[in-house]
Amino acid sequence: MSLARQVDLALEQLESELTGMSAGTIVIQIRNDEIGKFGIRHLPVDCGTRDNDPACMTGEQVRLLRRMATEALRHKRGWTHGEIAYDFVLRHGQLSVSVQFESNYNMANLLFRRASMQRNRRDVSSE
């Protein structure tokens, strides 16, 4: 399944939590081009009771957030492990989203592959 489809499914899963929020960060952890963990970090919540707070996202704004998040993946290039953070805020009824991509590499895997390649070259040269 493509990463864009996985992001869309993850955000669909978070829709009920996102509806009613006004700001936060959606965090998606990726390993081998697959989503492992995902969730929301949000600003401190006012525990007072509020009815029909107009400063909260609607279902339509959450769908817009999902669309913006998948479109942002066009900027992801050449890495398969890392984290994507979507910062979102609702200002004057307008949704603003920024994205941060973090790539992660594992030196142990790199060294293991390099040693394996060198070992294979020695095997070929001894034939």
Side-chain angles (χ1 to χ4, degrees):
M1 182 182 309
S2 74
L3 186 57
R5 180 66 182 131
Q6 292 176 64
V7 167
D8 188 54
L9 285 172
L11 295 181
E12 181 180 8
Q13 186 70 32
L14 296 173
E15 187 167 352
S16 63
E17 189 175 350
L18 287 166
T19 303
M21 292 182 75
S22 60
T25 303
I26 299 166
V27 180
I28 298 176
Q29 295 179 350
I30 300 169
R31 183 176 178 92
N32 292 324
D33 254 349
E34 292 183 354
I35 293 178
K37 294 185 341 182
F38 61 93
I40 302 172
R41 294 181 189 138
H42 55 83
L43 301 176
V45 177
D46 180 9
C47 292
T49 58
R50 292 186 190 175
D51 294 326
N52 300 326
D53 187 358
C56 296
M57 280 199 293
T58 64
E60 184 58 36
Q61 288 167 324
V62 172
R63 285 185 285 285
L64 175 61
L65 173 64
R66 285 172 54 191
R67 195 167 43 251
M68 293 167 87
T70 55
E71 288 174 5
L73 291 175
R74 289 181 288 158
H75 300 286
K76 177 189 172 289
R77 299 225 195 293
W79 56 270
T80 59
H81 293 67
E83 185 174 286
I84 302 173
Y86 297 100
D87 291 316
F88 65 93
V89 64
L90 196 59
R91 290 188 194 122
H92 308 293
Q94 294 286 75
L95 179 64
S96 296
V97 179
S98 64
V99 62
Q100 179 179 347
F101 296 106
E102 174 185 316
S103 59
N104 298 139
Y105 299 93
N106 187 330
M107 187 58 109
N109 286 344
L110 177 66
L111 294 175
F112 176 77
R113 274 190 243 128
R114 197 173 202 135
S116 177
M117 290 170 67
Q118 288 174 347
R119 201 171 26 254
N120 289 340
R121 285 187 202 138
R122 276 184 261 152
D123 293 342
V124 170
S125 64
S126 65
E127 290 179 356

